[in-house]
Amino acid sequence: MELFSYWRSSAAYRVRIGLNLKQLPYRITPVHLLRDGGQQHSEGYAALNPQELVPTLRHDGQVLHQSMAILDYLDEVFPLPALLPDDAAGRARVRALAQLLACDIHPLNNLRVMQFFSDTWSVPQPERDDWTRHWMQVGFEAMERMLVESVDTGRFCHGDSPGLADCCLVPQLYNARRFNVDMGPYPTLARIDAACLALPAFDAARPEHQPDAA
Amino acid sequence: MELFSYWRSSAAYRVRIGLNLKQLPYRITPVHLLRDGGQQHSEGYAALNPQELVPTLRHDGQVLHQSMAILDYLDEVFPLPALLPDDAAGRARVRALAQLLACDIHPLNNLRVMQFFSDTWSVPQPERDDWTRHWMQVGFEAMERMLVESVDTGRFCHGDSPGLADCCLVPQLYNARRFNVDMGPYPTLARIDAACLALPAFDAARPEHQPDAA
């Protein structure tokens, strides 16, 4: 397997965690999102991924896009350890938590959005950072409440094994630290993040442990 | 089943299509996103959905959040007709197309983002509309290419039966029309949208056919 990845991309980070949890061997091909005007926009990469976003996973002749679709694919093709629970209600809960992060926070704070703000609207850095923190705080507040109110929350987002929601949470909390978001109001998120990062699968996926880390 | 819906919400529209395709009976409880300061922020609704977003689906004692998680749940609990193909590669393709729309276009153009721009940044309406069109055009361009380049594209996004990607495409093209996006460069998206809207399941889910339509 070949993962087209950028060390700081949250979406690539999610897939690295999933691959590591399943102990699947993979090779990283770095795509530098800031170098050469953005290597994701190169002709070669755009032919592989028309959205010109990371990650892309090559496996068994398939070219796979979108981190969440890739994680579902991995869970179907390599079922153990499972990233989703067995029951439909549990699966729906884990997916909703994951999508709160992957649909309602991350796309708003992505590099291309920041580039639009600076290049097209000339939004100053402090206001761009306020925007970034705002969507994290709105999302974290809801997620903290959803975790606290559910008996299904365990050592991890769902029970005592790491899964899909944890694959999304840890990269998002890495971003939260970069932007100095006060995690005080979200003790459950912080606790689960710490439990995840203590595991080798999560540790090896950290941005700073990537071959292309600055 | 009870669907908390708003007639113009893309995310609720996706779930209405999914429910209709599976011919599942459901009752709509309207949540007016603009009335009373946004009924999604009411205490009662926030208790049901801490993200204060639509849709929410109540089924069999479960309270389900996030449109994409709900569609996966429906496909697991009511397998026929299937919203996803049988093979892992096909499922990954359909999910990636769906997520291109549901993660990389829609969250950027959502009501709460527009409210942030107007209330916090005082961005004038024409620039907000440019932003909205920009992310649609970026996404549509990639999706058109992905559809044209794949032999799996049929009458619908994947083969000749409507599925998950079509559930996401039709609401997004409804938005494109509202914002006068020229669909000329995306003939495949327009063709599939038309094929979908000719089916009763999609027609009944249209915003203008909802009980809470203005």
Side-chain angles (χ1 to χ4, degrees):
Chain A
M1 272 192 276
E2 179 180 12
L3 180 68
F4 294 81
S5 172
Y6 177 63
W7 65 295
R8 263 189 167 166
S9 154
S10 295
Y13 189 177
R14 285 176 206 146
V15 175
R16 295 196 302 262
I17 297 169
L19 287 163
N20 293 349
L21 283 170
K22 290 180 178 289
Q23 299 191 281
L24 297 167
Y26 61 98
R27 177 162 61 94
I28 285 198
T29 300
V31 179
H32 201 297
L33 301 189
L34 298 169
R35 207 170 282 162
D36 313 324
Q39 293 177 350
Q40 72 278 24
H41 304 305
S42 71
E43 212 179 313
Y45 188 75
L48 213 59
N49 185 322
Q51 279 199 273
E52 303 175 18
L53 294 171
V54 290
T56 300
L57 183 74
R58 254 211 259 244
H59 174 245
D60 203 18
Q62 306 297 329
V63 177
L64 304 158
H65 305 139
Q66 287 283 346
S67 62
M68 305 300 286
I70 293 172
L71 288 167
D72 265 312
Y73 172 86
L74 292 174
D75 215 35
E76 289 175 3
V77 177
F78 306 100
L80 296 177
L83 299 178
L84 288 166
D86 283 334
D87 60 308
R91 295 164 73 86
R93 176 176 181 264
V94 171
R95 286 201 161 107
L97 292 169
Q99 289 164 16
L100 180 157
L101 299 161
C103 301
D104 291 336
I105 299 180
H106 174 248
L108 294 163
N109 294 344
N110 217 346
L111 175 66
R112 59 185 196 152
V113 171
M114 294 304 122
Q115 288 174 336
F116 185 100
F117 287 153
S118 61
D119 300 351
T120 306
W121 283 358
S122 306
V123 178
Q125 176 89 45
E127 295 183 35
R128 297 201 306 267
D129 290 353
D130 285 345
W131 157 278
T132 299
R133 278 187 288 266
H134 172 75
W135 297 112
M136 285 199 237
Q137 287 159 339
V138 167
F140 290 169
E141 194 182 316
M143 187 163 174
E144 176 72 21
R145 204 167 132 192
M146 288 161 75
L147 290 171
V148 167
E149 288 176 359
S150 169
V151 295
D152 292 324
T153 304
R155 182 164 170 74
F156 300 101
C157 285
H158 195 84
D160 294 326
S161 309
L164 183 70
D166 306 293
C167 291
C168 298
L169 179 64
V170 167
Q172 191 58 62
L173 263 59
Y174 167 79
N175 283 336
R177 283 188 291 275
R178 278 180 70 194
F179 285 88
N180 299 313
V181 173
D182 173 17
M183 292 302 294
Y186 324 113
T188 312
L189 300 188
R191 168 181 72 70
I192 294 173
D193 178 61
C196 289
L197 286 172
L199 301 179
F202 285 84
D203 186 59
R206 282 177 190 261
E208 57 270 30
H209 292 169
Q210 301 313 300
D212 56 330
Chain B
M1 273 191 276
E2 179 179 12
L3 180 67
F4 295 80
S5 172
Y6 177 63
W7 65 295
R8 263 188 168 165
S9 154
S10 294
Y13 189 176
R14 286 176 205 145
V15 175
R16 294 196 302 261
I17 296 168
L19 288 164
N20 293 349
L21 282 170
K22 291 181 178 288
Q23 300 191 278
L24 297 166
Y26 60 99
R27 176 162 61 96
I28 285 198
T29 300
V31 179
H32 201 297
L33 302 189
L34 298 169
R35 206 170 283 163
D36 313 324
Q39 293 177 349
Q40 72 276 27
H41 304 305
S42 71
E43 212 179 314
Y45 188 74
L48 212 59
N49 185 322
Q51 279 201 273
E52 303 176 17
L53 294 172
V54 290
T56 300
L57 183 73
R58 254 209 258 244
H59 174 244
D60 204 16
Q62 307 296 329
V63 176
L64 304 158
H65 304 139
Q66 287 283 346
S67 62
M68 306 300 286
I70 293 172
L71 287 167
D72 265 312
Y73 172 87
L74 292 175
D75 216 34
E76 289 175 3
V77 177
F78 306 99
L80 295 178
L83 299 179
L84 288 165
D86 283 335
D87 60 309
R91 295 163 72 86
R93 175 177 182 266
V94 171
R95 286 204 161 106
L97 292 170
Q99 289 164 17
L100 179 158
L101 299 161
C103 301
D104 291 335
I105 299 180
H106 175 246
L108 294 162
N109 294 344
N110 217 346
L111 174 66
R112 59 186 197 152
V113 171
M114 293 306 122
Q115 288 174 337
F116 185 100
F117 287 153
S118 61
D119 300 350
T120 307
W121 283 358
S122 306
V123 177
Q125 175 89 45
E127 295 183 35
R128 298 202 306 265
D129 290 353
D130 285 346
W131 157 278
T132 299
R133 277 187 289 265
H134 173 75
W135 297 113
M136 284 199 236
Q137 287 160 339
V138 167
F140 289 169
E141 194 181 315
M143 187 162 175
E144 177 72 20
R145 204 168 133 192
M146 289 162 75
L147 289 171
V148 167
E149 288 175 358
S150 170
V151 296
D152 292 324
T153 304
R155 183 164 169 75
F156 300 102
C157 285
H158 194 84
D160 294 326
S161 309
L164 184 69
D166 306 292
C167 292
C168 298
L169 179 64
V170 167
Q172 191 58 62
L173 263 60
Y174 167 79
N175 283 337
R177 282 188 293 275
R178 277 180 69 195
F179 284 89
N180 298 312
V181 173
D182 173 17
M183 292 303 293
Y186 324 113
T188 312
L189 299 188
R191 169 181 70 71
I192 294 173
D193 178 61
C196 289
L197 286 172
L199 301 178
F202 285 84
D203 186 59
R206 282 178 190 260
E208 57 270 29
H209 293 168
Q210 300 315 300
D212 56 329

